[in-house]
Amino acid sequence: MNMGLPTGTDPASVLMRIEAMEMLLERGFTIPLINRKFGLDALIGLIPVVGDLITAGMGAYIIWEARNLGMPKWKVWRMAGNVAFDTAIGAIPLAGDTFDFFFRSNTRNLKIVKKHLHKHHPEAQVIEG
């Protein structure tokens, strides 16, 4: 099932898939009244240990896609560090759940990918209006 996402290996297609995963993990839902966005990372992270491991695996997908773009190893390791830090702190009961609500490793990783694509694949940019 495609769900409307491109399956190609070109940078623009990869970026769209990364953006979709980041949206799902970090900004897919909104808390009414305070208009605060959150995603599956914070929600599934409420399940002790297992939830954090599941969302780490989902975050690893973004890293895998970035690696397939040919990003330098140091950038890939930086992205892995973001996910590892999020997973380690997120696993702490209660404090980790609050942390997951504010530290968005996948959003940070999306920014790393976008910066790389802007420099090395400017044709992949989408002008948002």
Side-chain angles (χ1 to χ4, degrees):
M1 188 159 135
N2 185 325
M3 297 182 359
L5 292 174
T7 58
T9 57
D10 60 287
S13 295
V14 172
L15 178 60
M16 287 180 70
R17 291 193 302 271
I18 291 173
E19 288 174 329
M21 181 62 82
E22 184 272 340
M23 172 69 91
L24 181 67
L25 287 169
E26 307 291 11
R27 304 176 287 122
F29 310 100
T30 304
I31 298 174
L33 301 176
I34 64 169
N35 203 31
R36 175 71 181 171
K37 295 193 178 292
F38 69 100
L40 290 181
D41 190 18
L43 191 62
I44 295 174
L46 293 171
I47 303 167
V49 183
V50 175
D52 294 300
L53 293 175
I54 291 169
T55 56
M58 295 171 78
Y61 169 78
I62 293 174
I63 298 167
W64 178 75
E65 285 278 27
R67 188 181 151 279
N68 289 339
L69 284 173
M71 290 181 63
K73 286 183 181 183
W74 71 269
K75 287 182 183 179
V76 172
W77 279 108
R78 182 173 166 208
M79 293 173 67
N82 284 336
V83 172
F85 182 68
D86 188 3
T87 303
I89 302 299
I92 300 169
L94 299 177
D97 298 326
T98 303
F99 176 80
D100 272 342
F101 195 69
F102 294 102
F103 184 81
R104 298 180 176 205
S105 63
N106 301 295
T107 301
R108 291 168 183 259
N109 288 346
L110 174 61
K111 287 178 184 176
I112 292 169
V113 170
K114 282 185 171 183
K115 188 174 179 180
H116 173 80
L117 288 177
H118 177 71
K119 184 175 181 180
H120 299 284
H121 301 280
E123 73 281 359
Q125 288 183 293
V126 176
I127 299 172
E128 299 176 23

